[in-house]
Amino acid sequence: MNLNLEGKVAIVTGAARGMGRATTLTFAREGANVVIDDIDLEAARLVEEEARAIGAQAIVVRADVTKPDEVRQMVNDTLAKFGRLDILVNNAGILYVNGKPADRKFFKDTTEEEWPAEIDITLYGVLNCSRAAIEPMLRQKSGSIINIASDAGRGAMPRGTVYGAGKGGCVAFTRHLALELGQSGIRVNCVSPGVIRTTRIEAIESGAKLSPEATEAHKVLEQLAQKSPLGRIGNPQEIANVVVFLASDASSYVTGQTISVNGGDLMP
């Protein structure tokens, strides 16, 4: 199957690790040019080297997706380099808070001061990046936006209340934006991962013997993996494959959809 991505230009946010890295490199292998956005420039430049080694044109930008001015500059830098923008993957997520690994709590233990750390990235980050990307896509009368949500936004998970609220908003935003932009030639879809072995999960696994919180989180992950029909945790490449499909001409009649990639753990 020809995905027809040669020469297309894709921005991937949160591209330095995990699902973002896998998605960026999959685009590169399919012939797309990639814009690698991450606040960790050192890690992003390693992905840039990998993409260029594959043969893609690649640039690194540092845009905090919660800051509209930085996001607009990211899109401007993309247009200055490549002259177009065909694909946006809203993947950026939260891993660290104040230099420490993010710790999700039961809702009763949270404070209102803590909520924006999750909501700003998982929802407003998606809105900011989509708003900036729409303008060049409208001029081209073509484009594909893929939002990375979570099954926490479609079902329920322990300690996932605020996170799930943000991801649920992302799912709803996908449907509404797809309706708004469909006749302009822009498709909007959503990928909803289940339990995927990302940097966060690797940190939980490696720290399982270091703290009661990590031990509890690791037990939950093992239970989730065991009860899914496929009986295992997924990997970032399995998310990337679906994202790249949704960005390609192979999914030209698909818009407004949320696709769970979760080993069958949640069947909405």
Side-chain angles (χ1 to χ4, degrees):
M1 181 183 295
N2 182 7
L3 298 181
N4 196 28
L5 290 171
E6 293 83 359
K8 296 290 181 70
V9 177
I11 292 176
V12 182
T13 68
R17 295 182 176 84
M19 296 184 294
R21 172 182 172 274
T23 298
T24 299
L25 297 180
T26 305
F27 276 127
R29 286 191 290 270
E30 292 295 332
N33 302 316
V34 291
V35 179
I36 301 158
D37 170 52
D38 206 284
I39 60 173
D40 185 341
L41 286 178
E42 183 177 354
R45 290 191 175 110
L46 294 176
V47 179
E48 179 187 28
E49 291 177 8
E50 291 181 276
R52 288 181 173 177
I54 292 169
Q57 296 187 60
I59 61 171
V60 170
V61 296
R62 187 195 184 285
D64 181 336
V65 299
T66 69
K67 298 179 179 178
D69 290 345
E70 293 187 16
V71 168
R72 285 191 289 268
Q73 187 60 53
M74 172 180 70
V75 171
N76 289 338
D77 290 346
T78 300
L79 297 175
K81 172 66 177 179
F82 297 113
R84 61 185 296 115
L85 172 58
D86 301 289
I87 301 156
L88 168 67
V89 181
N90 284 311
N91 171 73
I94 184 168
L95 180 61
Y96 296 101
V97 176
N98 297 325
K100 298 180 180 179
D103 178 29
R104 295 193 177 112
K105 304 175 181 178
F106 291 113
F107 185 69
K108 67 181 179 60
D109 298 323
T110 66
T111 66
E112 56 269 27
E113 290 81 13
E114 294 173 313
W115 301 339
E118 294 273 20
I119 300 296
D120 284 354
I121 292 179
T122 57
L123 183 55
Y124 283 101
V126 173
L127 270 62
N128 289 333
C129 293
S130 299
R131 181 66 183 85
I134 284 170
E135 295 298 334
M137 290 181 177
L138 285 172
R139 291 195 294 269
Q140 295 165 191
K141 298 182 179 180
S142 67
S144 179
I145 297 172
I146 300 99
N147 301 320
I148 307 299
S150 167
D151 278 356
R154 309 185 83 190
M157 61 178 281
R159 301 174 184 264
T161 309
V162 179
Y163 175 73
K167 290 299 189 180
C170 179
V171 171
F173 174 71
T174 297
R175 294 194 296 267
H176 287 273
L177 192 62
L179 177 63
E180 182 177 321
L181 297 178
Q183 294 190 17
S184 300
I186 302 169
R187 296 184 298 112
V188 187
N189 289 291
C190 184
V191 173
S192 181
V195 182
I196 306 297
R197 186 164 276 106
T198 58
T199 305
R200 179 185 177 87
I201 287 183
E202 288 174 348
I204 289 172
E205 290 177 332
S206 64
K209 297 180 181 179
L210 301 180
S211 73
E213 292 81 7
T215 300
E216 180 185 348
H218 188 252
K219 287 180 179 178
V220 170
L221 292 176
E222 289 182 330
Q223 291 167 358
L224 289 172
Q226 290 170 4
K227 77 181 183 70
S228 73
L230 296 187
R232 63 176 177 85
I233 293 175
N235 67 69
Q237 187 62 54
E238 291 172 308
I239 300 299
N241 293 340
V242 178
V243 172
V244 172
F245 164 73
L246 289 172
S248 76
D249 288 353
S251 63
S252 57
Y253 199 52
V254 180
T255 194
Q257 303 305 305
T258 297
I259 299 178
S260 284
V261 185
N262 59 16
D265 183 50
L266 175 68
M267 298 185 186

